[in-house]
Amino acid sequence: MASSRPTFNNAYYLFCALLLLPAVCYCQDYFAPSRATYYGSPRCYGTPTGACGYGQYGRDMNDGYVTGVSRLYRNGSGCGACYQVRCTKPQCTEDGVNVVATDYGEGDRTDFILSPQAYGKMSQPDKTEELFAYGVVDVEFRRIPCRYWGYNLMLKVHERSKQPSYLAIVILHVAGRNDITDVEFWQQEDCQQWRPMRRAYGVVFDLENPPRGDIYIRFQVSGTNGVNWVQPKNGIPSNWKAGATYDTQIQLD
């Protein structure tokens, strides 16, 4: 009859698996191989439109060092994530560039479609034209914490919102290595419970016939601290207006 006790080899492999588990969970600390290209001409700025829903803010955020991503888009939850991207050509620097994902895009087996200024930032100062000549380059990337000095997590009421029948919000300044995976609002009338908002696209969440009065919401945050619900103390005021931005007084690490 075979023994039910683990053998030395089995115990050794189990120990190795447990030892490696943190490395699997926090693989964003390590560089992964990929490919990158850029959109438009080398003199273009970031695009004011995009699948994430940032609008004009997506053109200017991070000083224009932004990128479209493909598989990293993750149905919109990858919007706002920050990455260090460095190319492997002789013309490239060791540090590369830090970019924010603001759009979805697919290229020639690329994970990153960089803004021209972000693509050029990867090169040595006197090698920029040579780097642009490649068009597509092999890169290494890793996820890094986002930093928005002086800003809390902000909510912008999307321009297409209309009192009192439709409310859409855009989530801005998600710091750290965190993703907003769900948003819920408190239904004060009738059932009095948390109910989900719809992810319209990217970081835009919406609902029809929003509650009367101040609207209280909470976020499901997925990051290095696990999955947690975070609720601002203040709600969106009852007199909200399209295009207005509201401070949640929350800072994510």
Side-chain angles (χ1 to χ4, degrees), residues 13 16 29-30 33 38 62 75 78 83 91 94 107 113-114 134-135 139-140 151 177 179 194 228 243:
Y13 289 129
C16 290
D29 290 329
Y30 300 89
Y38 65 94
N62 198 37
N75 295 320
Y83 296 94
Q91 294 86 355
E94 182 177 351
I113 302 181
L114 301 165
Y134 286 115
V139 298
E140 299 174 329
Y151 289 96
R177 286 187 293 208
D179 300 327
W194 290 103
N228 300 284

Side-chain angles (χ1 to χ4, degrees), residues 90-120:
Q91 294 86 355
C92 301
T93 64
E94 182 177 351
D95 293 333
V97 62
N98 296 341
V99 293
V100 181
T102 60
D103 199 358
Y104 175 85
E106 294 183 353
D108 180 14
R109 296 179 290 116
T110 61
D111 280 314
F112 298 93
I113 302 181
L114 301 165
S115 64
Q117 56 268 49
Y119 188 91

Side-chain angles (χ1 to χ4, degrees), residues 155 157 163 167 210-217 234-242 244-247:
L155 296 179
V157 178
Q163 277 270 28
L167 171 65
R212 299 176 182 177
D214 293 352
I215 302 173
Y216 293 90
I217 63 174
N234 300 322
I236 299 175
S238 59
N239 62 343
W240 56 264
K241 296 181 180 179
T245 302
Y246 300 101
D247 191 338

Side-chain angles (χ1 to χ4, degrees), residues 31-88:
F31 284 96
S34 186
R35 285 157 59 85
T37 185
Y38 65 94
Y39 59 84
S41 71
R43 294 178 177 81
C44 284
Y45 291 95
T47 174
T49 61
C52 288
Y54 288 119
Q56 184 63 37
Y57 172 73
R59 178 187 180 116
D60 302 325
M61 67 188 302
N62 198 37
D63 294 327
Y65 295 114
V66 296
T67 183
V69 292
S70 54
R71 63 188 175 93
L72 299 173
Y73 182 73
R74 292 179 284 119
N75 295 320
S77 64
C79 290
C82 296
Y83 296 94
Q84 180 184 1
V85 183
R86 62 188 188 188
C87 54
T88 58

Side-chain angles (χ1 to χ4, degrees), residues 153-155 169 183-184 194 215-220 229-236 246-251:
L153 183 70
M154 307 289 287
L155 296 179
I169 60 172
V183 178
E184 294 183 342
W194 290 103
I215 302 173
Y216 293 90
I217 63 174
R218 67 177 184 174
F219 313 97
Q220 188 179 64
W229 285 99
V230 177
Q231 181 183 350
K233 293 182 179 180
N234 300 322
I236 299 175
Y246 300 101
D247 191 338
T248 67
Q249 302 296 319
I250 291 174
Q251 288 188 347

Side-chain angles (χ1 to χ4, degrees), residues 16-30 74 143 177-179 222-227:
C16 290
L18 292 174
L19 185 64
L20 290 174
L21 184 60
V24 174
C25 295
Y26 296 99
C27 59
Q28 64 265 28
D29 290 329
Y30 300 89
R74 292 179 284 119
R143 187 163 180 183
R177 286 187 293 208
N178 297 292
D179 300 327
S222 175
T224 53
N225 294 323
V227 179

